[in-house]
Amino acid sequence: MPARNPDMDNASAERLLDRPPILVVLHQESSSPGRVGQFLHRMGFPLDVRRPVLGDPLPRTLKNHSGAVVFGGPMSANDNETYVREEIDWLAVPLSENRPFLGICLGAQMLVRHLGGVVAPHDEGLTEIGWYPLEATDKGKAMMDWPQMVYQFHREGFDLPAGAELLATGPTYRNQAFRYGENAWGLQFHAELTRAMMHRWVVHGAHRFDLPGAQHGKAHLDGRLQHDAPLRAWLTTLLKTVFETGNQR
């Protein structure tokens, strides 16, 4: 039985006993699903956490899961490590079974690679590390309200896979959010960071703040005070759209 989350109300706790878990794929021993995990728990979903980089196997089917979330990590979707190639190949499972899937940063880039798209650095060597503007496309606006600023931490971007719908764009890396088919979603940016996670990223990622286009640590923390509330509200809507609406299809 899943552990009781003190933040859940009784109704959510009861749903947690009935709903199949959501597969959570992380890429470091210390990684956390952050607010995505917290919000999914409040929605009544247990989490099945796997770390392929540490040898955890991925399920052959998602028929016993409510969907999957693949998070970011310091590696590249272009790396030739066995677990990276196998994880990209594994994405055939949620796509073929039409199960709800959300890829965040590296997870989105892996989805792009699986769909035959290209993941690459910016032509001018620019990064997005800090807070940057976001603009929803007409298709994105029709689905939900989007934040105007989002948190980024990446040195590579992706092109839009054939058949995908572009939902949001940015001035430096154009492709920021997309949907493929009914149930597969990819995000370049991060909405999952708790305050503690952001402080940890600012400390451990400080060596990247001198990269072209990156912002320094104070801008990360100051930006959270200004921009995080709309991002948090949007994440709640997104997760309901992906995993509640998606499981009704």
Side-chain angles (χ1 to χ4, degrees):
M1 180 181 298
R4 172 68 191 274
N5 185 327
D7 292 329
M8 285 192 294
D9 57 25
N10 289 334
S12 294
E14 291 175 2
R15 290 199 305 271
L16 190 63
L17 302 178
D18 300 325
R19 285 185 165 181
I22 289 178
L23 179 71
V24 168
V25 180
L26 301 175
H27 296 103
Q28 295 183 97
E29 185 175 5
S30 60
S31 294
S32 163
R35 288 196 304 211
V36 167
Q38 293 172 0
F39 291 178
L40 290 174
H41 263 294
R42 291 172 189 168
M43 291 163 61
F45 292 105
L47 303 181
D48 176 8
V49 179
R50 314 259 183 128
R51 292 177 170 84
V53 65
L54 300 182
D56 293 344
L58 295 175
R60 296 182 178 180
T61 178
L62 285 177
K63 293 179 180 178
N64 296 319
H65 290 78
S66 294
V69 186
V70 176
F71 284 83
M75 59 287 295
S76 169
N78 295 317
D79 287 348
N80 199 34
E81 299 288 343
T82 299
Y83 76 90
V84 172
R85 298 196 310 270
E86 291 179 347
E87 194 172 326
I88 291 171
D89 291 343
W90 176 83
L91 294 178
V93 173
L95 292 179
S96 65
E97 295 178 354
N98 198 27
R99 306 300 294 150
F101 172 84
L102 175 61
I104 299 174
C105 198
L106 175 65
Q109 294 172 357
M110 287 181 163
L111 177 59
V112 168
R113 286 288 315 274
H114 181 85
L115 295 172
V118 174
V119 174
H122 192 276
D123 289 343
E124 299 176 10
L126 297 176
T127 65
E128 287 185 320
I129 299 176
W131 292 90
Y132 299 84
L134 185 78
E135 182 175 356
T137 64
D138 289 342
K139 289 182 178 179
K141 291 175 184 176
M143 293 178 178
M144 64 191 79
D145 291 329
W146 292 71
Q148 295 181 350
M149 298 289 287
V150 292
Y151 189 68
Q152 308 268 14
F153 217 107
H154 66 98
R155 294 182 292 176
E156 292 182 314
F158 52 80
D159 63 5
L160 188 67
E165 298 177 316
L166 185 63
L167 305 180
T169 67
T172 305
Y173 285 83
R174 171 170 169 75
N175 300 320
Q176 291 288 337
F178 68 92
R179 185 176 73 170
Y180 181 82
E182 293 183 328
N183 280 332
W185 304 70
L187 307 175
Q188 180 60 80
F189 55 91
H190 296 275
E192 78 275 17
L193 270 68
T194 63
R195 183 184 297 108
M197 288 172 67
M198 182 168 288
H199 278 269
R200 191 162 60 247
W201 285 28
V202 166
V203 170
H204 293 294
H207 62 286
R208 297 186 177 178
F209 296 164
D210 290 329
L211 293 172
Q215 300 167 9
H216 283 262
K218 187 176 186 301
H220 294 225
L221 302 178
D222 289 348
R224 184 179 181 88
L225 295 175
Q226 299 176 48
H227 308 305
D228 188 60
L231 184 59
R232 178 187 178 94
W234 170 84
L235 178 61
T236 302
T237 301
L238 176 77
L239 293 176
K240 289 180 179 178
T241 301
V242 175
F243 294 105
E244 291 192 337
T245 303
N247 274 296
Q248 295 169 3
R249 291 191 177 102

